[in-house]
Amino acid sequence: MYSSSMADAPLVREPLHAPVAHLIRGGMIEGIHYGSVVVLGVDGEVQFQLGDIEAAFYPRSALKPVQAVAMARAGLPLDGELLSLTAASHSGEERHLAGTRRILALAGLTEDHLRNVPDMPYAPAVRDAWIREGRLPSRLAQNCSGKHAAMLYTCALNGWSLDDYLDPGHPLQQAIAEIVEDLTGQRIAQVTVDGCGAPLFSVSLHGLARAAARITTAAPGTPEARVADAMREHAEMASGSGRDVAALMRAVPGLVAKDGFEGVQVAALPDSRAVAVKIADGANRARVPVAAAALAWAGVDPELLTEFQGEALLGGGQAVGCVRPVRSLEPVVVSACA
């Protein structure tokens, strides 16, 4: 289904994005979101593309399932909710903090060993509660703490140094880079630093979709399948209560989905159908309906996707429009707009 050869790194260039969604207000196009979309079929071939799916880009947190697979391949023994937390951009709920502490405890470590950036919880309601209680930013509350705790655990198991685990030259990060290239099927174009402080690897949108498909189609018991099963079965640990990515996994049987900052979304089904989305301006309001439209294009029953058509645009407190994917992306169903 997929070639075993490694493709060259995608080109670092200005992406040739295209319109992917229209901002409709009062029946008229008020604004346009640009971006890129790719849909892979069951044979792994591109069934639909819009914009630039081959330029180098940063997947941000949408790459976390791949990072989790790399750690599992390196001996990380986690499964279930803790492995889902390893691939999470969590909301900072108490269960996420408790899970991160459990991972650290298994490694014989504490929060002081974490090197991610201190932050408030990601979910607005949880963050507001912290502020009311006078709680301060912490490494534990930052949305990538589960991944960082698992990185430390992986280092401890392999006898690798802990203080510099975020250095791109560290054995852990070298192992992750190797698996990124393995699953995407292409060389990494560029390495920088993600918001949490971890190395961030640049691939193509096509490569990201290919990696997601390889994770969801892997044989039972493999590191890839363990990560996919954990995320499906514990969707809220990989995100949080009320988060759209968890709701999407609940709505579509067998789906594994992961979002990322700056308008990135990837999702894949067990039969290797996969979609990946990049919204050029990073807007979440376009990410969700465009991803849902791409899944419908891939053959997912549109009835399963109705709650992901995007929030209504308000005028005077009344719905007067919406964010609607462009018509070429919605051959199956067109969102209703005022």
Side-chain angles (χ1 to χ4, degrees):
M1 181 169 56
Y2 294 102
S3 171
S4 59
S5 60
M6 184 72 64
D8 291 338
L11 292 178
V12 177
R13 65 186 183 209
E14 181 178 349
L16 303 175
H17 291 307
V20 294
H22 291 151
L23 185 67
I24 306 294
R25 183 181 295 272
M28 190 174 76
I29 296 176
E30 182 180 31
I32 300 174
H33 289 288
Y34 284 72
S36 297
V37 180
V38 61
V39 176
L40 302 184
V42 294
D43 57 359
E45 296 299 316
V46 175
Q47 300 298 307
F48 176 86
Q49 61 180 303
L50 190 61
D52 194 343
I53 69 169
E54 303 296 354
F57 91 119
Y58 291 122
R60 303 299 298 270
S61 287
L63 200 62
K64 282 178 178 173
V66 178
Q67 293 171 308
V69 168
M71 287 184 268
R73 287 196 190 183
L76 185 70
L78 301 178
D79 283 296
E81 63 179 11
L82 294 186
L83 186 54
S84 184
L85 183 61
T86 297
S89 299
H90 65 71
S91 290
E93 300 165 29
E94 286 302 323
R95 61 176 158 180
H96 299 129
L97 276 57
T100 301
R101 291 190 189 99
R102 285 169 58 195
I103 296 173
L104 290 168
L106 289 169
L109 303 172
T110 69
E111 182 180 351
D112 290 338
H113 290 90
L114 294 170
R115 293 292 179 267
N116 57 316
V117 177
D119 201 356
M120 301 295 281
Y122 177 71
V126 182
R127 186 187 315 121
D128 290 347
W130 271 56
I131 293 172
R132 287 194 301 270
E133 295 164 9
R135 301 171 75 174
L136 300 175
S138 77
R139 299 184 193 278
L140 204 64
Q142 197 268 338
N143 75 88
C144 302
S145 64
K147 178 183 78 174
H148 281 255
M151 285 181 170
L152 284 166
Y153 191 9
T154 304
C155 290
L157 289 167
N158 285 277
W160 296 332
S161 58
L162 302 180
D163 289 345
D164 60 343
Y165 75 93
L166 296 182
D167 189 314
H170 190 280
L172 169 69
Q173 302 303 336
Q174 291 293 300
I176 290 174
E178 180 181 341
I179 303 309
V180 169
E181 293 188 334
D182 179 30
L183 293 180
T184 63
Q186 60 190 176
R187 301 293 181 192
I188 291 167
Q190 195 157 300
V191 182
T192 188
V193 182
D194 210 339
C196 65
L200 176 60
F201 306 104
S202 177
V203 293
S204 70
L205 197 66
H206 187 182
L208 178 65
R210 189 161 46 227
R214 287 177 170 173
I215 289 172
T216 58
T217 57
T222 60
E224 292 90 333
R226 285 168 49 203
V227 170
D229 290 344
M231 293 182 69
R232 290 188 193 104
E233 294 167 13
H234 303 277
E236 281 75 18
M237 283 298 279
S239 54
S241 301
R243 295 271 294 279
D244 59 74
V245 70
L248 190 60
M249 284 193 276
R250 296 294 186 207
V252 181
L255 187 75
V256 172
K258 185 70 188 75
D259 54 345
F261 280 160
E262 296 304 321
V264 182
Q265 179 76 59
V266 67
L269 291 153
D271 62 4
S272 83
R273 285 177 293 163
V275 307
V277 170
K278 164 64 180 175
I279 305 300
D281 62 5
N284 270 330
R285 71 178 183 183
R287 171 183 60 83
V288 178
V290 169
L295 285 168
W297 215 106
V300 173
D301 183 354
E303 293 297 319
L304 301 176
L305 302 168
T306 53
E307 68 176 291
F308 307 103
Q309 291 183 352
E311 299 178 2
L313 298 181
L314 302 181
Q318 302 296 316
V320 295
C322 68
V323 177
R324 185 175 67 197
V326 295
R327 302 290 176 145
S328 63
L329 188 53
E330 280 200 313
V332 179
V333 58
V334 175
S335 307
C337 258

